[in-house]
Amino acid sequence: MKSYKWYTILFIISVIHPILGQIPLPTLPNLQSIVAYEATNGIFTHTFGVADPKLYQRLETSLSTTNDFGGVPGAENYDIFFSDATGQLDPVGSYITIECRYLGTSGGGGCNITHLELAFDNGFKISSQILSSFYGTGANFLPATVSNAVDCNPNTSTTMGNNSATPNTVFLRLTFDFSSIIEETLLTACSGSGFEYKVNSQVFNESNPAGTAYATTSNGCNRLEIVEIVFEPTINIDLNYSGCVGDNYKVNVGGIVFDEKNPKGIINIPSLITCDTIYSVNLKFDVPPAKSKEITTCDENFMLSIGGQIFNLQNPEGTVKVPGSDICDTIYNIKISFVKSISKFSNYDGCAGDRYSINIAGNLFDESNPKGEVTILGNQGCDTIYYVSLIYKGITTVKIHDDKCLHENYSLKIGDVIFNADNPIGIMMITPEKGCDTIYDVRLIFQDCELECLPHAPNIISSYSNYNNTFVIKYREFCELSNANLLIYDRWGNLIHNGTNPIWDGTFNGTVCETGVYAYIFNYMIFGKQKYLSGNITVIK
């Protein structure tokens, strides 16, 4: 039912063509109804909504008793339905078939159809100009009248004959083809190109890329065109480079040179065939890495060679550039310190009374003498100076004063001692294998936790106010509730909220609930026991 247009336009990439076929009539945009015109002592219209079940079934042998519409009362019965080109039922067909059962053998024949039109919700109408197939028979069949059904003139009618020879097998038939008046145009253009496609006075562009255009024709049949334009984005290409300062790298994009002095930019390269190409250039030139070598030595003959340069007592410091094979060159900053002595540090972190000591060249350092310096003369090199620092920590005191709601089964083990409801208070010292002694000061307070942890809830909220508009079940912070579940029911027993959070915002499926009384059930676990809280909540404006 559709024809295709090919376009050659500066900004168009291509024209999209799906698999050739005809558009199913039930899917036409904004189609509202099908109207059949039939002549029996006057011209009568029979209108069927696009979703009317009659259009999706073929009556066949039952046509005589359950016809979709009638002509001569009791003698001329009609069936109308979506079909294929041969008149066979097709619920998603691209054709409309009208069948008629008429047994009169003399006088005017049956199936007197004058017109068939498709009506849209904006009042626009189109009429078929082609019959894909038809069937007429009998002495009163007038073949010259067949074209009257598609001449877009509701005042001329067909005379298709009679069914006396085949009363319940093959019926008089007209199958209407709309391919010449329904057209589908599919295009592809570039975003930002300003491309427009016009159908009469209707314009399709990037802000209005798809829709249906309705055109009035001089013969009254009219036509419509379904348009869709796909606007493709421009082509984006990133040109990235990582190099070193001074490597002389450069790139030419659209006549513009990017290098160390001009490392970044965006260039739009127009195209006469495809969409424009936007190049994003980002060149990165790293400063050569620098490494520092600081050496301390007592040997006056010490020598270091880097990059072919010698550093020694006469040339103790300087900068050397060493070329890299696949990375930037490396700059070395060299500094050699020639000294007469070497410093060493002896540090200790222990506990008071642990009897730790150290002897350096006959000098004893312990808890009574924790800090000092000792110089040991070297035989062939530098003297060695020892810097001693010993730290002895005192006893650590830890207070465990827990005034939270402690359950009667709660217990705390420190060392070999268990603190619980029978032994809530005590002081004890723990001596670890490593580290200093620790004194624990324990004081536990036990309460009736189940009573302290009873949740409570409001009984009224205002769903239309900025204040007090949320139903919240509250409980003390130290209470550890688990497996919580809040259920809200309306007054008819319908479940309108089911959540694991103890909060309800007064809505159902995103809509604010009406004023009234609602029931709630809050299930939860505490101290290994299943509990629940229930009641009513009133919602007001």
Side-chain angles (χ1 to χ4, degrees):
M1 174 171 295
K2 57 190 175 184
S3 59
Y4 294 87
K5 289 185 178 180
W6 292 84
Y7 297 88
T8 302
I9 298 177
L10 178 62
F11 299 105
I12 291 183
I13 298 175
S14 62
V15 180
I16 301 174
H17 291 280
I19 299 174
L20 291 177
Q22 297 190 327
I23 301 175
L25 291 181
T27 67
L28 279 179
N30 307 314
L31 178 61
Q32 187 175 56
S33 59
I34 289 85
V35 183
Y37 290 69
E38 189 271 346
T40 298
N41 295 325
I43 298 175
F44 298 88
T45 59
H46 304 277
T47 302
F48 302 87
V50 70
D52 193 328
K54 294 178 180 179
L55 296 173
Y56 298 88
Q57 61 179 346
R58 187 181 184 188
L59 297 177
E60 297 181 305
T61 57
S62 60
L63 176 58
S64 61
T65 57
T66 59
N67 55 295
D68 291 343
F69 65 94
V72 177
E76 191 175 14
N77 305 302
Y78 288 88
D79 183 15
I80 183 171
F81 52 87
F82 293 115
S83 72
D84 62 13
T86 65
Q88 298 299 311
L89 175 67
D90 185 356
V92 291
S94 302
Y95 303 82
I96 294 177
T97 291
I98 297 178
E99 287 189 333
C100 175
R101 179 179 182 270
Y102 181 71
L103 300 181
T105 59
S106 62
C111 195
N112 309 118
I113 300 300
T114 71
H115 193 56
L116 180 69
E117 63 186 19
L118 306 184
F120 297 84
D121 58 9
N122 61 354
F124 193 80
K125 299 176 181 180
I126 62 175
S127 301
S128 171
Q129 300 179 83
I130 301 173
L131 290 174
S132 64
S133 62
F134 62 89
Y135 177 74
T137 185
N140 51 1
F141 169 39
L142 303 179
T145 66
V146 172
S147 61
N148 290 341
V150 288
D151 62 0
C152 300
N153 182 355
N155 297 312
T156 61
S157 64
T158 62
T159 302
M160 302 303 294
N162 68 82
N163 294 109
S164 60
T166 57
N168 290 305
T169 56
V170 179
F171 299 113
L172 307 176
R173 174 172 56 81
L174 297 166
T175 298
F176 294 83
D177 181 356
F178 293 83
S179 61
S180 64
I181 59 172
I182 298 177
E183 185 176 12
E184 186 176 43
T185 301
L186 303 175
L187 304 172
T188 299
C190 296
S191 297
S193 65
F195 171 70
E196 290 185 344
Y197 176 73
K198 294 182 179 180
V199 180
N200 294 338
S201 61
Q202 190 164 350
V203 178
F204 296 90
N205 50 33
E206 194 161 358
S207 61
N208 179 40
T212 303
Y214 303 91
T216 302
T217 60
S218 58
N219 63 2
C221 293
N222 299 333
R223 57 180 291 274
L224 62 84
E225 184 172 347
I226 301 171
V227 179
E228 180 179 359
I229 307 174
V230 177
F231 285 88
E232 297 287 353
T234 55
I235 301 172
N236 294 283
I237 297 178
D238 294 330
L239 291 179
N240 300 316
Y241 170 76
S242 293
C244 301
V245 171
D247 64 6
N248 297 321
Y249 177 84
K250 62 183 177 180
V251 61
N252 188 313
V253 180
I256 298 178
V257 176
F258 293 88
D259 53 16
E260 191 172 335
K261 295 181 180 179
N262 181 35
K264 295 182 179 181
I266 297 176
I267 302 296
N268 185 7
I269 307 296
S271 173
L272 297 178
I273 300 176
T274 63
C275 295
D276 294 350
T277 301
I278 296 178
Y279 289 86
S280 297
V281 182
N282 184 19
L283 311 183
K284 183 180 180 183
F285 297 89
D286 293 329
V287 176
K291 293 185 178 181
S292 297
K293 280 185 175 292
E294 294 188 3
I295 301 173
T296 300
T297 180
C298 299
D299 183 1
E300 294 181 354
N301 298 317
F302 178 81
M303 181 184 68
L304 176 65
S305 176
I306 294 181
Q309 187 170 342
I310 302 298
F311 294 89
N312 52 24
L313 183 62
Q314 289 73 35
N315 182 36
E317 58 183 276
T319 300
V320 179
K321 183 177 181 181
V322 179
S325 58
D326 56 356
I327 59 174
C328 299
D329 298 341
T330 301
I331 297 176
Y332 287 88
N333 296 308
I334 308 300
K335 182 178 181 181
I336 303 176
S337 299
F338 293 89
V339 299
K340 296 291 185 179
S341 62
I342 299 174
S343 299
K344 292 187 177 182
F345 298 87
S346 181
N347 300 320
Y348 172 73
D349 192 349
C351 302
D354 63 5
R355 298 182 180 181
Y356 175 82
S357 64
I358 184 174
N359 191 310
I360 300 176
N363 297 278
L364 181 65
F365 294 89
D366 56 16
E367 192 169 350
S368 62
N369 181 35
K371 298 179 182 296
E373 297 179 9
V374 176
T375 300
I376 300 178
L377 300 177
N379 294 327
Q380 297 180 347
C382 304
D383 295 342
T384 302
I385 302 176
Y386 288 87
Y387 297 91
V388 180
S389 177
L390 311 181
I391 298 175
Y392 297 87
K393 295 180 181 178
I395 298 175
T396 301
T397 300
V398 177
K399 290 185 178 181
I400 302 177
H401 293 180
D402 199 338
D403 58 354
K404 293 181 180 179
C405 179
L406 298 180
H407 192 264
E408 60 183 3
N409 295 328
Y410 176 82
S411 66
L412 172 66
K413 185 176 182 181
I414 300 177
D416 296 328
V417 178
I418 295 177
F419 293 88
N420 51 28
D422 297 326
N423 181 35
I425 300 175
I427 297 176
M428 62 181 300
M429 178 181 287
I430 300 295
T431 301
E433 294 182 2
K434 295 181 180 181
C436 304
D437 294 343
T438 302
I439 295 178
Y440 289 88
D441 180 1
V442 181
R443 295 183 184 181
L444 306 180
I445 298 176
F446 290 85
Q447 301 177 13
D448 186 347
C449 295
E450 294 186 13
L451 181 61
E452 291 290 330
C453 290
L454 285 177
H456 61 279
N459 59 6
I460 188 171
I461 64 172
S462 175
S463 61
Y464 294 87
S465 171
N466 292 329
Y467 305 95
N468 193 32
N469 58 3
T470 304
F471 176 73
V472 181
I473 294 180
K474 299 182 177 179
Y475 48 86
R476 301 185 69 175
E477 293 182 358
F478 55 75
C479 298
E480 297 182 359
L481 276 63
S482 63
N483 296 337
N485 179 239
L486 176 62
L487 305 172
I488 304 293
Y489 297 87
D490 62 16
R491 58 183 176 180
W492 294 283
N494 298 314
L495 179 65
I496 64 172
H497 176 78
N498 185 351
T500 57
N501 291 325
I503 299 174
W504 177 50
D505 62 0
T507 66
F508 175 56
N509 286 340
T511 302
V512 176
C513 293
E514 298 293 332
T515 59
V517 178
Y518 298 79
Y520 69 87
I521 299 176
F522 180 59
N523 299 293
Y524 62 95
M525 292 283 293
I526 187 169
F527 306 118
K529 297 180 180 179
Q530 181 69 46
K531 299 287 184 178
Y532 75 92
L533 176 70
S534 63
N536 293 329
I537 174 67
T538 300
V539 176
I540 64 172
K541 291 186 177 180

